[in-house]
């Protein structure tokens, strides 16, 4: 270990953090109704703590008709009875804190549910009313013709008629997602005031931070002009000047950062900013959010050149704006990495290497529940699919949302359901799901679970011993034989053999490898290492 004088200042907790994303409906089912809930999560918190992560991010559990599995909120400051009660949330928060876990919640400020009382009031109040000005209600440009050509991210047009049966009400309302998710009009200051209240409510309770859903899309271009884009309007890393990534949105995050820093410890803001690195990094300038997911990285295939190119692009953005990238390889919206990286045994081995790489990179990292188990994407039978994106556009995200297997036997949905008797889970699990179970992996020293734990433990030690520092950058390159290297600092590098042939190990001491190493100084294909350099 290096011994020079300690670097300063000490990192904020989130700079070194690994956060575990919990998708509550698929994590653990406390009451046996087949849907995961707060009681299940409370019971399983010790498992999360045992992984060695710093905290959890919970996707929405607030009251919602569940059109988009909770990303359609009717009450931002409540708990949906499907998931439990506010008392249970309060005990969850205190139990998590007592286990040393921070708790981040999801806030969905771009849109609410069409059943939200303010949207219902807007529908009732009619065209031109102040109630409608909380949303984007616009008169159509002709019979059956919406106000502009915008397409929903989920497919189909981004507009629906407010009152299809009325002759006089010619308004349409905007929904970048499903028709059940009307977009708020952030140009109306009342919307900002409303969300200040939401943030305060959770921060006052002691919630440690917020993940901000579709953070780059709150403001739309003035006048809502047609878009040249034919795909979903906020999809695909491109900044879309008609629909998203408007300058005005940054004011929201300055205001929220000020609010977050009124609390001790300061609350964390992490954005879902699905933009190319240079644009996304503008959301983490010193007075905006602390973190924004590195989506360019999340979307990579198994290809060293593109990893290095994206890594260097993210590093250039960091140098411009100061904040380290926030790494993730999985979340509840994307195909599991095992499957993305090739599926089967090959995909599993690559996903293990990718986790080792991920946890060694400079910046915070997020793991998605089940990633530590190496779960593959599930091909959910068509008749069981519930994702509105599937219904509207043909892409299905349910395969990454199948309930976690806790035990090997099939009883109680592989231990997913804690209450008895256990109803069928809300998404069916495939045959053999139990082979991935937590219980089984806990007993196998070579399992994905134990590898993830070992990486997390070592990561903590390296922070403690100042091998890792908050101002580490990433210098990425590809060496002969498709060896991907990210040099984190002068002492430490991550290397991944991404080609088909073995490659010479970089000089230094190997601290961790995804697969056992031979003594011959070569790294086999699809293995990854952490190297402490001389
Ligand atoms: C985000 C969420 C996704 C949701 C969408 C609309 O992308 O991660 O699950 O469908 O926003 O809220």
């Amino acid at each position: 270990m290096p011994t020079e004088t300690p670097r300063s200042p000490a990192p904020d907790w989130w700079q070194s953090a690994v956060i575990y994303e919990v998708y509550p409906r698929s994590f653990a089912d406390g009451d046996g109704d087949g849907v995961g809930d707060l009681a299940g999560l409370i019971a399983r918190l010790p498992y999360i703590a045992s992984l060695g992560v710093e905290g959890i991010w919970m996707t929405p559990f607030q009251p919602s008709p569940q059109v988009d599995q909770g990303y359609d909120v009717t009450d931002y400051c409540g708990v949906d009875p499907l998931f439990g009660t506010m008392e249970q949330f309060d005990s969850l928060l205190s139990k998590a804190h007592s286990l040393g876990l921070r708790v981040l919640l999801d806030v969905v400020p771009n849109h609410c549910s069409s059943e939200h009382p303010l949207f219902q009031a807007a529908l009732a109040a009619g065209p031109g009313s102040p109630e409608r000005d909380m949303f984007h209600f616009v008169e159509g440009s002709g019979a059956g013709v919406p106000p502009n050509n915008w397409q929903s991210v989920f497919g189909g047009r981004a507009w629906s008629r407010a009152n299809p049966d009325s002759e006089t009400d010619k308004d349409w309302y905007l929904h970048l997602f499903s028709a059940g998710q009307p977009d708020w009009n952030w140009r109306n200051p009342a919307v900002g005031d409303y969300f200040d209240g939401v943030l305060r409510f959770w921060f006052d309770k002691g919630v440690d931070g917020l993940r901000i859903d579709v953070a780059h899309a709150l403001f739309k271009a003035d006048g809502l002009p047609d878009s040249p884009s034919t795909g979903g309007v906020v999809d695909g890393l491109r900044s879309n000047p008609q629909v998203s990534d408007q300058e005005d949105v940054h004011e929201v995050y300055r205001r929220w950062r000020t609010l977050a820093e009124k609390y001790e410890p300061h609350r964390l803001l992490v954005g879902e900013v699905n933009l190319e690195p240079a644009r996304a990094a503008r959301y983490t300038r010193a007075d905006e959010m602390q973190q924004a997911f590195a989506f360019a990285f999340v979307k990579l295939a198994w290809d060293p050149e593109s990893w290095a190119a994206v890594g260097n692009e993210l590093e250039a953005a960091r140098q411009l704006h100061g904040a380290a990238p926030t790494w993730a390889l999985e979340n509840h919206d994307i195909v599991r990495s095992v499957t993305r990286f090739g599926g089967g045994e090959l995909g599993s081995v690559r996903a293990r290497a990718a986790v080792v790489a991920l946890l060694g990179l400079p910046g915070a990292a997020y793991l998605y529940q089940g990633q530590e188990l190496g779960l593959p994407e599930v091909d959910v039978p068509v008749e069981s699919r519930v994702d509105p994106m599937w219904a509207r556009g043909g892409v299905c995200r349910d395969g990454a949302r199948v309930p976690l297997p806790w035990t090997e036997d099939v009883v109680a949905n592989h231990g997913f359901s804690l209450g008895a008797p256990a109803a069928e889970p809300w998404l069916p699990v495939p045959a053999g799901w139990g082979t991935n179970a937590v219980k089984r992996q806990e007993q196998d020293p070579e399992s994905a679970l134990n590898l993830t734990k070992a990486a997390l433990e070592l990561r903590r030690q390296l922070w403690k011993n100042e091998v890792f520092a908050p101002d580490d950058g990433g210098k990425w390159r590809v060496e002969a034989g498709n060896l991907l290297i990210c040099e984190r600092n002068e002492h430490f590098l991550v290397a991944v053999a991404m080609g088909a042939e073995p490659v010479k190990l970089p000089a230094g001491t190997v601290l961790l490898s995804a697969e056992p190493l031979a003594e011959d100084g070569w790294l086999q294909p699809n293995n990854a290492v952490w190297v402490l350099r001389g």
Side-chain angles (χ1 to χ4, degrees), residues 124-136:
S129 60
E131 286 86 348
R132 285 208 174 175
D133 194 43
M134 294 290 280
F135 301 90
H136 295 281

Side-chain angles (χ1 to χ4, degrees), residues 200-282:
R200 280 206 192 90
F201 176 82
W202 293 110
F203 289 165
D204 285 347
K205 271 194 177 290
V207 162
D208 300 279
L210 296 172
R211 177 266 192 186
I212 303 159
D213 191 60
V214 211
H216 53 306
L218 312 194
F219 280 80
K220 286 80 182 165
D222 250 341
L224 310 178
D226 274 347
S227 162
S229 161
T230 50
V233 287
V234 294
D235 194 21
L237 293 183
R238 271 162 306 135
S239 165
N240 185 333
Q242 281 71 36
V243 185
S244 67
D245 199 25
Q246 304 292 302
E247 221 35 53
D248 305 272
V249 78
H250 294 282
E251 205 40 53
V252 175
Y253 303 123
R254 291 192 190 103
R255 174 162 157 175
W256 287 13
R257 180 69 176 264
T258 306
L259 187 62
E261 295 198 342
K262 291 210 164 97
Y263 291 81
E264 277 309 330
H266 292 174
R267 306 311 199 227
L268 174 65
L269 303 173
V270 51
E272 186 198 25
V273 184
N274 197 345
L275 293 173
E276 49 171 322
R279 296 299 300 183
R282 298 174 76 247

Side-chain angles (χ1 to χ4, degrees), residues 21 23 57 59 68 70-72 106 108 110-111 153-154 177-178 181 211 213-214 272 274 295 331-333 387-389 397 401:
E21 179 191 350
Y23 194 73
W57 147 35
T59 60
D68 187 18
Y71 283 96
D72 49 319
D106 222 308
V108 188
N110 180 68
H111 47 267
V153 179
F154 287 171
F177 295 87
S178 75
Q181 294 165 292
R211 177 266 192 186
D213 191 60
V214 211
E272 186 198 25
N274 197 345
F295 271 95
N331 65 38
H332 63 284
D333 292 330
D387 182 8
M389 194 164 184
R397 300 170 297 177
R401 301 174 177 179

